[in-house]
Short mmCIF file of all heavy atoms in Angstrom, two decimals:
data_model
loop_
_atom_site.label_atom_id
_atom_site.label_comp_id
_atom_site.label_asym_id
_atom_site.label_seq_id
_atom_site.Cartn_x
_atom_site.Cartn_y
_atom_site.Cartn_z
N LEU A 107 24.91 17.25 2.50
CA LEU A 107 24.09 16.24 3.16
C LEU A 107 22.66 16.73 3.34
O LEU A 107 21.71 15.98 3.09
CB LEU A 107 24.69 15.84 4.51
CG LEU A 107 23.92 14.78 5.29
CD1 LEU A 107 23.72 13.51 4.46
CD2 LEU A 107 24.61 14.45 6.59
N LEU A 108 22.50 17.97 3.75
CA LEU A 108 21.16 18.51 3.93
C LEU A 108 20.39 18.54 2.61
O LEU A 108 19.16 18.39 2.60
CB LEU A 108 21.23 19.90 4.56
CG LEU A 108 21.79 19.94 5.99
CD1 LEU A 108 21.94 21.37 6.46
CD2 LEU A 108 20.94 19.12 6.95
N PHE A 109 21.11 18.68 1.49
CA PHE A 109 20.49 18.67 0.17
C PHE A 109 19.94 17.28 -0.18
O PHE A 109 18.87 17.16 -0.76
CB PHE A 109 21.50 19.13 -0.89
CG PHE A 109 20.93 19.14 -2.28
CD1 PHE A 109 20.09 20.16 -2.69
CD2 PHE A 109 21.24 18.12 -3.17
CE1 PHE A 109 19.56 20.17 -3.98
CE2 PHE A 109 20.72 18.12 -4.46
CZ PHE A 109 19.88 19.15 -4.87
N VAL A 110 20.68 16.21 0.18
CA VAL A 110 20.23 14.85 -0.15
C VAL A 110 19.32 14.24 0.92
O VAL A 110 18.69 13.22 0.68
CB VAL A 110 21.41 13.88 -0.43
CG1 VAL A 110 22.24 14.36 -1.59
CG2 VAL A 110 22.25 13.64 0.79
N LEU A 111 19.22 14.89 2.08
CA LEU A 111 18.41 14.35 3.17
C LEU A 111 16.96 14.08 2.77
O LEU A 111 16.43 13.01 3.10
CB LEU A 111 18.47 15.27 4.39
CG LEU A 111 17.69 14.81 5.62
CD1 LEU A 111 18.21 13.46 6.13
CD2 LEU A 111 17.76 15.87 6.71
N PRO A 112 16.29 14.97 2.04
CA PRO A 112 14.91 14.66 1.64
C PRO A 112 14.81 13.37 0.82
O PRO A 112 13.85 12.61 0.98
CB PRO A 112 14.49 15.88 0.81
CG PRO A 112 15.34 16.98 1.32
CD PRO A 112 16.66 16.34 1.66
N LYS A 113 15.79 13.10 -0.03
CA LYS A 113 15.77 11.87 -0.81
C LYS A 113 15.97 10.65 0.10
O LYS A 113 15.30 9.64 -0.06
CB LYS A 113 16.83 11.89 -1.90
CG LYS A 113 16.76 10.67 -2.79
CD LYS A 113 17.68 10.77 -3.99
CE LYS A 113 17.50 9.53 -4.87
NZ LYS A 113 18.36 9.58 -6.04
N VAL A 114 16.87 10.76 1.07
CA VAL A 114 17.10 9.67 2.03
C VAL A 114 15.80 9.38 2.79
O VAL A 114 15.40 8.23 2.94
CB VAL A 114 18.25 10.01 2.99
CG1 VAL A 114 18.35 8.99 4.11
CG2 VAL A 114 19.57 10.11 2.24
N LYS A 115 15.13 10.44 3.23
CA LYS A 115 13.87 10.27 3.95
C LYS A 115 12.78 9.70 3.05
O LYS A 115 11.97 8.88 3.49
CB LYS A 115 13.43 11.60 4.56
CG LYS A 115 14.26 12.02 5.75
CD LYS A 115 13.74 13.31 6.35
CE LYS A 115 14.47 13.66 7.62
NZ LYS A 115 13.93 14.89 8.24
N ALA A 116 12.77 10.12 1.79
CA ALA A 116 11.76 9.61 0.85
C ALA A 116 11.96 8.12 0.60
O ALA A 116 10.99 7.36 0.51
CB ALA A 116 11.82 10.38 -0.46
N VAL A 117 13.21 7.69 0.47
CA VAL A 117 13.49 6.27 0.28
C VAL A 117 13.04 5.48 1.51
O VAL A 117 12.45 4.40 1.38
CB VAL A 117 14.99 6.05 -0.03
CG1 VAL A 117 15.37 4.58 0.04
CG2 VAL A 117 15.34 6.62 -1.40
N THR A 118 13.28 6.02 2.68
CA THR A 118 12.84 5.38 3.93
C THR A 118 11.32 5.26 3.95
O THR A 118 10.77 4.19 4.27
CB THR A 118 13.32 6.17 5.15
OG1 THR A 118 14.74 6.22 5.14
CG2 THR A 118 12.85 5.55 6.45
N ALA A 119 10.64 6.34 3.62
CA ALA A 119 9.18 6.34 3.61
C ALA A 119 8.64 5.34 2.60
O ALA A 119 7.67 4.62 2.88
CB ALA A 119 8.65 7.74 3.32
N GLU A 120 9.26 5.29 1.42
CA GLU A 120 8.81 4.33 0.40
C GLU A 120 8.98 2.90 0.91
O GLU A 120 8.07 2.07 0.78
CB GLU A 120 9.59 4.51 -0.91
CG GLU A 120 9.16 3.53 -1.99
CD GLU A 120 9.96 3.64 -3.27
OE1 GLU A 120 10.84 4.52 -3.40
OE2 GLU A 120 9.71 2.81 -4.17
N TRP A 121 10.13 2.60 1.49
CA TRP A 121 10.37 1.25 2.03
C TRP A 121 9.32 0.92 3.09
O TRP A 121 8.71 -0.16 3.05
CB TRP A 121 11.77 1.13 2.62
CG TRP A 121 11.97 -0.18 3.31
CD1 TRP A 121 11.90 -0.43 4.65
CD2 TRP A 121 12.21 -1.46 2.69
NE1 TRP A 121 12.10 -1.76 4.91
CE2 TRP A 121 12.29 -2.41 3.72
CE3 TRP A 121 12.37 -1.87 1.37
CZ2 TRP A 121 12.53 -3.76 3.47
CZ3 TRP A 121 12.60 -3.22 1.13
CH2 TRP A 121 12.68 -4.14 2.17
N ASN A 122 9.12 1.84 4.04
CA ASN A 122 8.18 1.58 5.13
C ASN A 122 6.77 1.36 4.59
O ASN A 122 6.04 0.48 5.09
CB ASN A 122 8.20 2.73 6.14
CG ASN A 122 9.48 2.75 6.94
OD1 ASN A 122 10.22 1.78 7.00
ND2 ASN A 122 9.77 3.90 7.53
N SER A 123 6.39 2.11 3.60
CA SER A 123 5.07 1.95 3.01
C SER A 123 4.93 0.61 2.29
O SER A 123 3.94 -0.11 2.47
CB SER A 123 4.81 3.10 2.03
OG SER A 123 3.60 2.89 1.35
N ARG A 124 5.93 0.28 1.50
CA ARG A 124 5.85 -0.94 0.71
C ARG A 124 5.93 -2.20 1.57
O ARG A 124 5.25 -3.18 1.30
CB ARG A 124 6.93 -0.94 -0.36
CG ARG A 124 6.65 0.14 -1.42
CD ARG A 124 7.67 0.17 -2.49
NE ARG A 124 7.58 -1.05 -3.31
CZ ARG A 124 8.42 -1.31 -4.30
NH1 ARG A 124 9.38 -0.46 -4.61
NH2 ARG A 124 8.30 -2.41 -4.99
N ILE A 125 6.74 -2.16 2.61
CA ILE A 125 6.89 -3.36 3.44
C ILE A 125 5.64 -3.60 4.30
O ILE A 125 5.34 -4.73 4.68
CB ILE A 125 8.17 -3.32 4.31
CG1 ILE A 125 8.47 -4.72 4.84
CG2 ILE A 125 8.05 -2.31 5.42
CD1 ILE A 125 9.83 -4.87 5.42
N ALA A 126 4.89 -2.52 4.55
CA ALA A 126 3.68 -2.65 5.36
C ALA A 126 2.43 -2.87 4.50
O ALA A 126 1.32 -2.93 5.04
CB ALA A 126 3.50 -1.41 6.23
N ASP A 127 2.61 -3.02 3.20
CA ASP A 127 1.48 -3.20 2.29
C ASP A 127 0.65 -4.41 2.72
O ASP A 127 1.18 -5.49 2.97
CB ASP A 127 1.99 -3.39 0.86
CG ASP A 127 0.87 -3.40 -0.15
OD1 ASP A 127 -0.04 -2.57 -0.03
OD2 ASP A 127 0.89 -4.27 -1.05
N GLY A 128 -0.65 -4.22 2.85
CA GLY A 128 -1.55 -5.31 3.19
C GLY A 128 -1.67 -5.57 4.69
O GLY A 128 -2.36 -6.49 5.10
N ILE A 129 -1.00 -4.77 5.49
CA ILE A 129 -1.06 -4.93 6.95
C ILE A 129 -1.93 -3.80 7.50
O ILE A 129 -1.71 -2.63 7.19
CB ILE A 129 0.35 -4.89 7.57
CG1 ILE A 129 1.22 -6.01 6.97
CG2 ILE A 129 0.27 -5.03 9.09
CD1 ILE A 129 2.67 -5.94 7.37
N SER A 130 -2.91 -4.15 8.31
CA SER A 130 -3.84 -3.14 8.85
C SER A 130 -3.11 -2.17 9.77
O SER A 130 -2.07 -2.50 10.35
CB SER A 130 -4.98 -3.81 9.61
OG SER A 130 -4.51 -4.34 10.83
N LYS A 131 -3.71 -0.99 9.92
CA LYS A 131 -3.15 0.01 10.83
C LYS A 131 -3.10 -0.52 12.26
O LYS A 131 -2.17 -0.24 13.01
CB LYS A 131 -3.95 1.31 10.76
CG LYS A 131 -3.75 2.07 9.48
CD LYS A 131 -4.51 3.37 9.47
CE LYS A 131 -4.28 4.07 8.13
NZ LYS A 131 -4.87 5.39 8.09
N GLU A 132 -4.11 -1.29 12.63
CA GLU A 132 -4.16 -1.86 13.98
C GLU A 132 -3.01 -2.84 14.19
O GLU A 132 -2.34 -2.82 15.23
CB GLU A 132 -5.50 -2.56 14.23
CG GLU A 132 -6.70 -1.63 14.24
CD GLU A 132 -7.20 -1.25 12.83
OE1 GLU A 132 -6.81 -1.90 11.83
OE2 GLU A 132 -7.96 -0.27 12.74
N ASP A 133 -2.79 -3.72 13.20
CA ASP A 133 -1.68 -4.68 13.31
C ASP A 133 -0.33 -3.96 13.34
O ASP A 133 0.58 -4.35 14.08
CB ASP A 133 -1.71 -5.68 12.15
CG ASP A 133 -2.80 -6.73 12.32
OD1 ASP A 133 -3.37 -6.83 13.42
OD2 ASP A 133 -3.08 -7.44 11.33
N MET A 134 -0.20 -2.89 12.55
CA MET A 134 1.05 -2.13 12.55
C MET A 134 1.28 -1.45 13.91
O MET A 134 2.41 -1.39 14.39
CB MET A 134 1.07 -1.09 11.43
CG MET A 134 1.36 -1.66 10.06
SD MET A 134 2.91 -2.61 9.94
CE MET A 134 4.13 -1.37 10.35
N ALA A 135 0.20 -0.97 14.52
CA ALA A 135 0.33 -0.34 15.83
C ALA A 135 0.82 -1.35 16.86
O ALA A 135 1.71 -1.05 17.67
CB ALA A 135 -1.00 0.28 16.27
N VAL A 136 0.26 -2.56 16.83
CA VAL A 136 0.70 -3.61 17.75
C VAL A 136 2.15 -3.97 17.46
O VAL A 136 2.98 -4.06 18.38
CB VAL A 136 -0.21 -4.86 17.63
CG1 VAL A 136 0.38 -6.05 18.40
CG2 VAL A 136 -1.62 -4.54 18.13
N PHE A 137 2.48 -4.17 16.19
CA PHE A 137 3.85 -4.51 15.81
C PHE A 137 4.83 -3.43 16.29
O PHE A 137 5.87 -3.75 16.88
CB PHE A 137 3.96 -4.68 14.29
CG PHE A 137 5.38 -4.84 13.81
CD1 PHE A 137 6.04 -6.05 13.97
CD2 PHE A 137 6.05 -3.77 13.24
CE1 PHE A 137 7.35 -6.19 13.55
CE2 PHE A 137 7.36 -3.91 12.81
CZ PHE A 137 8.01 -5.12 12.97
N ASN A 138 4.51 -2.16 16.02
CA ASN A 138 5.40 -1.07 16.42
C ASN A 138 5.59 -1.03 17.93
O ASN A 138 6.70 -0.77 18.42
CB ASN A 138 4.90 0.27 15.90
CG ASN A 138 5.11 0.40 14.41
OD1 ASN A 138 6.04 -0.16 13.84
ND2 ASN A 138 4.24 1.15 13.76
N SER A 139 4.54 -1.31 18.67
CA SER A 139 4.64 -1.34 20.13
C SER A 139 5.54 -2.48 20.60
O SER A 139 6.41 -2.30 21.45
CB SER A 139 3.24 -1.50 20.73
OG SER A 139 3.31 -1.64 22.13
#
């Protein structure tokens, strides 16, 4: 599991980046709050 964990985290990071595409950092901060 520890061996595949970086890939799991990378997939999460990719999803988070792609879904937030075109959304300002300020809007994301409000959304996250």
Side-chain angles (χ1 to χ4, degrees):
L107 181 55
L108 295 175
F109 180 77
V110 300
L111 181 61
K113 185 172 182 180
V114 171
K115 287 183 174 182
V117 169
T118 300
E120 180 183 357
W121 174 260
N122 289 342
S123 174
R124 292 181 68 183
I125 196 166
D127 187 43
I129 302 172
S130 72
K131 288 183 181 185
E132 295 80 14
D133 285 347
M134 282 305 298
V136 170
F137 172 77
N138 287 330
S139 175

